[in-house]
Amino acid sequence: MTQMANNSIRVKQINTELVKTTLKSLPEGAGTISAIAKVTGLSVATCGNILNELVATGEVEEAEPEKPNGGRPARRFVYNTNFSYIACLYVKMEGGRNWLTYAVADSMGEVVEESTAEHASVTYEVIDEAVAGLIDRYARIKAVGIGIPGVVRRGVIGVCDFRELVHVPLGPRLSDKYGLEFAIENDMNAAVYGFYRNQQYEDHKTIAFVTCLKDNLPGAGIMVDGHILKGNTNFAGEVAFLPYDLPQEELLVQLNSSRHFMPLAVKMLRSLIAIINPETIALTGELFGPEQLGALHSACLKAIPAEHMPKLVWRADMHEDYRNGLISITLERLSYGLQLIEKRM
């Protein structure tokens, strides 16, 4: 294939994603060719050709035409939200128990099924079996997102709360087996992304999402200027490795001590404030509580100038943020990688 032909194909893929994303964003997911052309900046002819092709595949459907306004009524198109589905799974360890949660969502991100089950252990085989069951029930699943409490790089798991998953090439193995797009993501990255999107900021912000669970080392997800901060090796946000001057075994003990928790939490927050200067820090997990916000705020102000102090907010449960973030990340993986729509990944 010549370079020119290859470029033409890529441009068409970009334009198709632009038309689909624009159509989804319009009220009720419906619009005319001219309305889509106006938003995308593409020609009416280009938008019409793309929409006709999408109608042929079933991804877009024709709706009732616009009410006539003295001329021929304009064709209206609506995105078929049931054309494809995604599945999202995440594992967590809480109170010494292992849980696997899954959700299936349509192409607009609306959840159609959700469930949580306890497992004696969470291994590759457990995850594989869950994925197989979902694909068997929903033949239109096109992508799968999996949230992992650990470091993930190119789909391979590194440091992780689940020892059975350490060094497992989860993404490559599942992708090879099922021929689908798999997004393997750190749990806190997914949670901070879901929290961020839920705030509906008018401009890009820098925020952090911190969790301190009982009997677990802390973790954080970070958004800098509207983008997830992953770092050179996806290690960003691993706040358990800050210089507490304690072995991690002792750090875990002290975090679960009412006497030592607050000083350690303050050190963690001050570090995040000084390094990323966030607008908001969201706190979640059993070791945090709403009654602590005032004391944490005051303690941070002893070292942080007031004008740089972020808002501290408490999230009783990170499930909704986590799930919604993972859904958004997985839906974005379905889009063509070079689309002209700005992503915050």
Side-chain angles (χ1 to χ4, degrees):
M1 182 181 294
T2 67
Q3 184 64 37
M4 184 175 294
N6 185 53
N7 288 342
S8 297
I9 292 172
R10 290 160 75 88
V11 168
K12 183 176 181 180
Q13 289 173 314
I14 291 170
N15 289 343
T16 299
E17 287 301 330
L18 189 55
V19 168
K20 289 194 293 185
T21 303
T22 299
L23 185 58
K24 291 178 184 180
S25 70
L26 294 174
E28 299 179 356
T32 63
I33 295 176
S34 60
I36 295 169
K38 183 177 180 180
V39 174
T40 61
L42 301 174
S43 69
V44 170
T46 297
C47 290
N49 289 336
I50 291 172
L51 286 166
N52 287 334
E53 291 176 3
L54 292 172
V55 167
T57 64
E59 190 166 1
V60 169
E61 298 173 338
E62 283 209 50
E64 289 293 321
E66 276 195 335
K67 293 180 180 179
N69 189 21
R72 183 178 179 181
R75 296 167 69 195
R76 289 176 67 248
F77 298 85
V78 60
Y79 192 82
N80 178 9
T81 60
N82 293 316
F83 177 76
S84 63
Y85 293 105
I86 62 162
C88 291
L89 304 90
Y90 71 80
V91 296
K92 68 176 181 178
M93 187 182 297
E94 201 169 88
R97 303 167 73 183
N98 305 314
W99 303 92
L100 177 63
T101 295
Y102 74 81
V104 176
D106 64 23
S107 54
M108 295 292 282
E110 294 297 319
V111 176
V112 298
E113 182 183 341
E114 185 174 14
S115 184
T116 298
E118 184 178 1
H119 292 268
S121 63
V122 178
T123 62
Y124 169 83
E125 288 72 23
V126 168
I127 295 174
D128 179 36
E129 184 179 352
V131 169
L134 292 174
I135 292 174
D136 185 57
R137 294 206 303 279
Y138 293 90
R140 293 184 178 182
I141 287 177
K142 303 298 183 185
V144 180
I146 300 178
I148 298 293
V151 177
V152 181
R153 192 178 185 193
R154 298 189 182 96
V156 180
I157 301 170
V159 178
C160 182
D161 292 346
F162 291 85
R163 294 181 179 178
E164 299 89 346
L165 296 177
V166 174
H167 303 313
V168 173
L170 191 63
R173 285 180 66 179
L174 292 172
S175 182
D176 288 345
K177 181 174 181 177
Y178 295 103
L180 300 176
E181 186 75 36
F182 277 81
I184 315 299
E185 188 57 82
N186 169 267
D187 57 348
M188 299 310 299
N189 286 346
V192 73
Y193 195 50
F195 175 80
Y196 187 97
R197 288 175 61 91
N198 188 52
Q199 307 312 303
Q200 298 182 331
Y201 293 115
E202 292 184 1
D203 54 358
H204 295 337
K205 300 290 185 183
T206 294
I207 67 170
F209 196 105
V210 180
T211 183
C212 283
L213 291 168
K214 185 178 179 182
D215 298 324
N216 286 86
L217 290 169
I222 299 169
M223 298 279 292
V224 174
D225 295 333
H227 298 266
I228 296 177
L229 177 65
K230 295 189 176 183
N232 181 50
T233 60
N234 291 7
F235 194 67
E238 295 296 330
V239 292
F241 292 85
L242 287 171
Y244 301 101
D245 298 324
L246 293 169
Q248 288 207 329
E249 295 78 7
E250 181 60 24
L251 173 62
L252 188 58
V253 171
Q254 292 199 18
L255 283 169
N256 284 273
S257 162
S258 58
R259 175 185 172 189
H260 297 290
F261 174 74
M262 288 295 285
L264 290 169
V266 169
K267 180 176 286 192
M268 186 192 313
L269 297 181
R270 285 179 180 172
S271 298
L272 286 169
I273 296 166
I275 295 169
I276 66 168
N277 187 206
E279 186 265 353
T280 298
I281 298 180
L283 308 174
T284 191
E286 303 153 294
L287 300 181
F288 281 124
E291 72 284 351
Q292 298 170 331
L293 295 183
L296 288 168
H297 188 274
S298 297
C300 287
L301 283 176
K302 292 179 181 179
I304 302 295
E307 64 267 28
H308 304 302
M309 186 65 198
K311 292 184 293 185
L312 301 181
V313 299
W314 181 65
R315 303 292 282 175
D317 185 355
M318 68 180 262
H319 166 70
E320 185 175 336
D321 296 317
Y322 192 176
R323 179 199 63 194
N324 293 345
L326 200 53
I327 287 173
S328 296
I329 289 169
T330 308
L331 283 172
E332 289 178 12
R333 287 291 290 269
L334 274 179
S335 300
Y336 185 63
L338 295 180
Q339 61 182 311
L340 299 179
I341 301 159
E342 182 180 10
K343 289 187 177 182
R344 298 184 180 178
M345 293 291 296

